[in-house]
């Protein structure tokens, strides 16, 4: 099956930038997503990037995609305590029988210290 | 604007009991999915459906059944609940074209004791 790998933990100080990294294995991924999950809540779509793009910026969020290395990163500028959550990387594949399935990493627990 | 609605939010089951997790979406989405999330893990696909009357297995279908009699509803049935099915269950939907956002419900927390 498809593998999406993320580091499990990241701690940063409030005001610093956070960078969460992700690697994936399927080169036919069409879209790559970042979801945020707060305790006891569902998944909130933060941003996504199409596989033919290198970068996407959305306010404090910057997504970088290195398709050659199959590496995706999410940078959060000026990280706030409200950004503390689990961040999931996911790849979406639309070919054959996979029909738009999302394959998720295990999630990175981001802790922001005041 | 309801989006994807799941019920119940919390449930405790005894081993061997059966129950149905309900999922409804009001966005006229063709694709619907059931995922489970175990502690410290990502989401694993249980079953999915590409339209009314069509369902197929995902990565971890054993112990579950689904049906899709309407576009809006996609219930997940647990038969003979086991402790291994203690998890958080998420329903999701998608219009059905590459690039369309997948919307998630709020989750259903299930404990089997």
């Amino acid at each position: 099956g498809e593998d999406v790998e993320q580091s499990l933990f990241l701690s940063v100080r409030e005001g610093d930038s956070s960078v969460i990294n992700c690697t994936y294995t399927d080169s036919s991924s069409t879209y790559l997503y970042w979801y945020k999950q707060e305790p006891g809540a569902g998944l909130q779509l933060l941003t996504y990037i199409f596989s033919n793009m290198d970068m996407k910026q959305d306010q404090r969020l910057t997504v970088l995609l290195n398709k050659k290395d199959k590496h995706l990163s999410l940078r959060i500028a000026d990280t706030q305590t409200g950004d503390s959550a689990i961040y999931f990387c996911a790849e979406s594949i639309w070919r054959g029988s996979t029909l738009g399935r999302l394959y998720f990493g295990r999630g990175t627990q981001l802790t922001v210290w005041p | 604007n309801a989006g994807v609605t799941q019920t119940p939010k919390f449930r405790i089951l005894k081993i061997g009991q059966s129950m149905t997790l309900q999922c409804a979406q009001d966005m006229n989405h063709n694709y619907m999915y059931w995922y489970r999330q175990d502690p410290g893990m990502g989401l694993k696909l249980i079953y999915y459906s590409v339209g009314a009357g069509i369902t197929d297995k995902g990565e971890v279908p054993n112990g579950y059944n689904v049906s899709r009699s309407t576009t809006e509803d996609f219930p997940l049935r647990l038969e003979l609940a086991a402790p291994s099915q203690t998890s958080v269950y998420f329903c999701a939907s998608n219009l059905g074209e590459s690039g369309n956002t997948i919307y998630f419900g709020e989750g259903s927390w299930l404990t089997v004791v």
Side-chain angles (χ1 to χ4, degrees):
Chain A
E2 288 70 10
D3 284 324
V4 179
E5 300 285 341
Q6 301 177 239
S7 53
L8 296 182
F9 302 99
L10 177 66
S11 294
V12 300
R13 194 169 295 277
E14 190 174 26
D16 289 349
S17 292
S18 308
V19 180
I20 303 172
N21 294 301
C22 169
T23 58
Y24 60 97
T25 57
D26 197 311
S27 59
S28 61
S29 298
T30 54
Y31 283 82
L32 295 128
Y33 298 83
W34 285 104
Y35 283 87
K36 177 183 180 182
Q37 186 181 36
E38 297 183 26
L43 276 75
Q44 172 194 355
L45 177 65
L46 281 181
T47 186
Y48 64 93
I49 187 167
F50 187 46
S51 59
N52 70 352
M53 297 171 64
D54 298 324
M55 185 182 87
K56 180 178 180 181
Q57 188 152 1
D58 184 0
Q59 299 182 343
R60 293 191 297 124
L61 305 179
T62 303
V63 179
L64 295 177
L65 176 60
N66 182 328
K67 197 172 181 181
K68 174 176 169 291
D69 295 336
K70 299 189 185 67
H71 182 267
L72 182 74
S73 68
L74 173 69
R75 179 177 181 270
I76 305 173
D78 187 26
T79 313
Q80 302 297 307
T81 54
D83 294 323
S84 292
I86 301 175
Y87 290 80
F88 290 96
C89 171
E91 60 173 345
S92 169
I93 301 165
W94 288 79
R95 60 172 167 78
S97 63
T98 57
L99 296 171
R101 295 186 197 181
L102 282 181
Y103 293 90
F104 286 84
R106 291 176 63 185
T108 300
Q109 173 70 62
L110 174 65
T111 302
V112 183
W113 302 99
Chain B
N1 189 11
V4 179
T5 304
Q6 290 182 234
T7 56
K9 192 165 176 75
F10 301 99
R11 181 73 186 267
I12 298 175
L13 273 183
K14 292 185 178 178
I15 294 171
Q17 286 185 319
S18 301
M19 75 159 297
T20 300
L21 297 175
Q22 302 290 344
C23 176
Q25 52 87 14
D26 60 358
M27 298 173 281
N28 203 32
H29 283 173
N30 293 317
Y31 286 39
M32 295 187 75
Y33 311 82
W34 274 106
Y35 287 89
R36 60 176 285 172
Q37 182 184 25
D38 297 324
M41 304 296 290
L43 278 69
K44 298 292 185 183
L45 183 65
I46 305 171
Y47 269 95
Y48 66 99
S49 168
V50 301
I54 306 170
T55 64
D56 209 344
K57 296 177 181 179
E59 301 167 83
V60 290
N62 291 343
Y64 306 94
N65 277 302
V66 293
S67 59
R68 185 94 183 271
S69 56
T70 66
T71 300
E72 293 78 20
D73 300 298
F74 190 41
L76 177 73
R77 179 138 182 100
L78 282 72
E79 305 281 1
L80 298 174
S84 62
Q85 293 178 301
T86 294
S87 190
V88 184
Y89 292 83
F90 288 99
C91 180
S93 73
N94 170 275
L95 186 59
E97 296 170 7
S98 174
N100 289 119
T101 301
I102 296 181
Y103 294 86
F104 283 85
E106 289 292 305
S108 297
W109 274 252
L110 178 66
T111 302
V112 182
V113 296

